Every structure is written in C-alpha cells, then in structure tokens.
Amino acid sequence: NAGVMQNPRHLVRRRGQEARLRCSPMKGHSHVYWYRQLPEEGLKFMVYLQKENIIDESGMPKERFSAEFPKEGPSILRIQQVVRGDSAAYFCASSPRTGGNEQFFGPGTRLTVL
Amino acid sequence: QKEVEQDPGPLSVPEGAIVSLNCTYSNSAFQYFMWYRQYSRKGPELLMYTYSSGNKEDGRFTAQVDKSSKYISLFIRDSQPSDSATYLCAMSPTGANSKLTFGKGITLSVRP
C-alpha cells in the first residue's frame, strides 16, 4: 500500500529555468494539497486540487506558479522562471474525501535554485 | 498575531522524561487539530488527529484540545531517542476546504 509519492526528491535549477514537481496521491485519494516549507519556516499551504479542478489556490504566488491534477496521471506543481527565493522543500499531501482533514504527506521535493 | 503559535524550542530532555508540546491559535473556526512528526529531510508523518475539544490517547502519545482557551497539547510519555524529531501542530476548520494551518514546529532531542 504505497504512500504519497513525489518526484524528483531533489531538483536543482538555475535562475530563469522551469521546475516541475510531481505528486501521486495514495491509492483511493482524490484530493491533493501542495505545501511549501522554507528554511526556518513552517509549512505553508499553496493549493488544493481535486481531479481536473483547482479548489483553492489562495496560497499560490500570483505569478510564475501553477498547479494541475489531470484526470489521468500525477498532480504537477510548475514554477516558471525560478528565482533563488523559490528554493524550498515542496510537500504534497493527499486525502480520501472532501473535508478530509487527515492529510498524508509525501517525502517532498527539495528545490535548489542556483 | 499569527493564526497558530508554537513554542520555538529547541527542547532537550533525558530518555524516559515526559514531554509536553503546546500550540495556541486565534481562529475560532478551527475544529480539527493534528500533530505531525517530521524527521530531518523527511515528510511530515501524521501522529494524532482530534476533532473539537477533548483528549485522545495512542500508546505513549496523548493529544489534548481546549477550545475555550484555544490551546492544544501533545504529551509524550517515556520518551525515547527515536522520538527526536520536529513536531508540528496543524489545524483546520470544518467544511469542504480543509487546508491545514501549521505552527512553525519545535525540535525535540531525547538524550540517551
């Protein structure tokens, strides 16, 4: 029974490049959340998606960041034209239902922007 | 005022000690309360999950919620070196949008 899977685990990009982070939720889970953890900061909510729908993107920066959860395949968090301030650990969590406050986290993707 | 405040730590205790970790919050809409454990460079692991006020016990761990004081606690009995990790409190309101609001976390070290 695999947990939440994220890849890559580590990603290095130069300023101006694009970063794509992938998340496969736990089997049977159709709700995906993305969080960001900056050094010395707590986890901050970014976006909540269900299959083919963005439910809440109130935590997403207005520019350069986008997320999707297609009908088939993993959820993708995309960061265009990365800057050094984007360096952080990005975590995906999944939940089996609406109002699913029990969220199970993946191992994270650690993004380093050079 | 931040929505969720957590003692910054770090906290160091001897093996076998009782550990008390606490968070306060300001948003009275929070109804679900969770504690996560995060080992270095790993993802958060859900430890305890409670709804509204009351206590919940699971092995050596006890979670308490006092909504009247907007205060939650996690107690660890007979602490072990393997409990050394960062502990994060998290909470959310009821309803369809259940994004979690986290405390900053406290790093616990249990000395053998």
Side-chain angles (χ1 to χ4, degrees):
Chain A
N1 186 14
V4 178
M5 300 177 70
Q6 290 188 251
N7 66 80
R9 295 291 305 277
H10 301 274
L11 184 60
V12 178
R13 286 287 179 266
R14 297 190 180 278
R15 281 179 297 171
Q17 292 184 319
E18 178 180 288
R20 282 188 179 230
L21 289 61
R22 295 175 186 77
C23 169
S24 295
M26 288 179 70
K27 188 174 181 180
H29 289 194
S30 58
H31 302 260
V32 166
Y33 302 78
W34 286 92
Y35 294 83
R36 177 166 64 175
Q37 189 172 41
L38 291 163
E40 307 304 321
E41 294 285 331
L43 282 154
K44 302 292 186 186
F45 167 79
M46 299 181 74
V47 62
Y48 164 34
L49 310 103
Q50 296 177 25
K51 285 285 188 181
E52 300 185 280
N53 285 302
I54 296 175
I55 307 303
D56 180 3
E57 55 182 346
S58 60
M60 288 275 272
K62 298 298 181 195
E63 297 177 351
R64 302 187 297 109
F65 285 73
S66 63
E68 63 177 7
F69 190 14
K71 187 176 180 180
E72 301 290 338
S75 175
I76 306 286
L77 179 67
R78 182 183 178 203
I79 311 172
Q80 295 178 290
Q81 299 175 329
V82 296
V83 300
R84 289 214 173 112
D86 297 332
S87 295
Y90 292 82
F91 292 96
C92 168
S94 75
S95 173
R97 59 193 178 276
T98 298
N101 308 83
E102 288 176 284
Q103 295 180 20
F104 300 90
F105 282 78
T109 294
R110 280 161 181 80
L111 172 65
T112 302
V113 180
L114 301 177
Chain B
Q1 181 186 13
K2 289 186 177 180
E3 277 194 292
V4 180
E5 300 271 9
Q6 185 171 4
D7 293 339
L11 182 62
S12 180
V13 301
E15 184 174 355
I18 296 175
V19 177
S20 172
L21 307 175
N22 311 295
C23 287
T24 59
Y25 63 96
S26 59
N27 188 346
S28 57
F30 289 148
Q31 296 285 339
Y32 292 93
F33 304 92
M34 285 137 277
W35 287 94
Y36 284 85
R37 177 174 63 193
Q38 186 176 24
Y39 292 110
S40 180
R41 306 190 73 76
K42 303 288 186 183
E45 171 193 0
L46 181 61
L47 268 182
M48 300 290 283
Y49 171 79
T50 54
Y51 173 72
S52 194
S53 285
N55 293 359
K56 185 174 183 178
E57 187 173 322
D58 184 2
R60 296 184 296 110
F61 298 90
T62 299
Q64 287 186 352
V65 175
D66 182 351
K67 289 189 65 185
S68 62
S69 302
K70 296 190 176 67
Y71 188 89
I72 71 170
S73 300
L74 178 70
F75 297 96
I76 307 173
R77 291 183 297 281
D78 186 26
S79 56
Q80 302 295 309
S82 58
D83 295 328
S84 298
T86 296
Y87 290 80
L88 304 161
C89 63
M91 42 199 85
S92 74
T94 55
N97 185 349
S98 50
K99 64 184 181 185
L100 299 180
T101 302
F102 282 84
K104 288 184 70 172
I106 183 169
T107 298
L108 170 67
S109 175
V110 181
R111 307 185 302 272

